[in-house]
Amino acid sequence: MFQRRLIYLPSEGPVPSAGTVLPGARDVSYETADGLRLAGWFVPATGRERGVSVLVAPGNGGDRSLRAPLAKALRGRGMSVLLVDYRGYGGNPGDPSEEGLALDVRAARAFLVAERPADRVIYFGESLGAAVVTELAVEHPPDGLLLRSPFFDLPAVAGVHYPLLPVRALLRDRFPVADRIGRVRAPTVVVLGTADDIVPPEQSRAVAAAAPGRATLVEVAGANHNDAALLDGPELIGAVEKLAG
């Protein structure tokens, strides 16, 4: 329980209604296989629709409202967006874990496919969320996969921040991104910031190199992990557009 409190850092307090932040967006919910009712935001495309929906799996901090700028940018380019919050995040019930997050994104995908059955689907994973959607992509291949600041696996990135602890032996949640990416059969883009001090850029490059046929690698010069350039910056949004076609 203690180590998971260090890994999973949800925001405190209520999440605003989707429509008050992004006009036209809706509060939605869906049920996981283990019986949790989770809330998210569905943000429909504006302008010329591309017939593409993007499932956004967030990192380990905050809640869906912090990803509103990303959804706004994508919807303005003709893509619908589902902003996911995991169990224990954004007012959702339950406690986060590697197994639980896997169930959460499966439920989110099922909702999105039912909501937009004719759309092509892109998975967008941010940091920890990159690990979550990589596993999802093995079981349910998307039409495109974007991994933003992915780590090699959780013990590898934890070892950078806790070098004196035997984290590989201690951690219960593993999130083996580099191992799983080799089994993904979808066009893949990895986006990283060259000044990232949370997930070392070399770990994201290693994930890209492990992808079948090698993923497209987009390096945002000078960007740190939580900089706006890696939330809704032009290079990031352009990478999603390229996947959308």
Side-chain angles (χ1 to χ4, degrees), residues 104-182:
D104 298 347
V105 292
R106 280 161 175 75
R109 176 193 171 274
F111 169 86
L112 186 58
V113 170
E115 180 76 19
R116 301 284 297 186
D119 279 9
R120 291 173 289 128
V121 176
I122 292 172
Y123 301 162
F124 180 113
E126 168 201 314
S127 193
L128 178 72
V132 177
V133 295
T134 298
E135 183 183 9
L136 180 65
V138 173
E139 182 175 332
H140 298 287
D143 295 287
L145 177 66
L146 189 140
L147 307 179
R148 199 280 266 176
S149 308
F151 45 71
F152 191 86
D153 56 29
L154 189 60
V157 73
V160 172
H161 298 284
Y162 302 99
L164 300 182
L165 295 178
V167 291
R168 193 162 292 279
L170 293 174
L171 280 175
R172 297 184 63 185
D173 294 346
R174 315 295 290 186
F175 294 104
V177 185
D179 176 62
R180 288 177 174 146
I181 194 69

Side-chain angles (χ1 to χ4, degrees), residues 174-240:
R174 315 295 290 186
F175 294 104
V177 185
D179 176 62
R180 288 177 174 146
I181 194 69
R183 291 177 278 151
V184 171
R185 297 295 180 264
T188 301
V189 177
V190 172
V191 179
L192 64 87
T194 62
D196 196 324
D197 61 7
I198 302 296
V199 176
E202 57 267 24
Q203 292 198 21
S204 296
R205 295 185 186 111
V207 170
R214 292 184 178 267
T216 299
L217 183 62
V218 177
E219 301 200 9
V220 183
N224 204 343
H225 195 76
N226 293 313
D227 286 353
L230 294 179
L231 174 62
D232 62 345
E235 290 166 284
L236 177 68
I237 301 304
V240 183

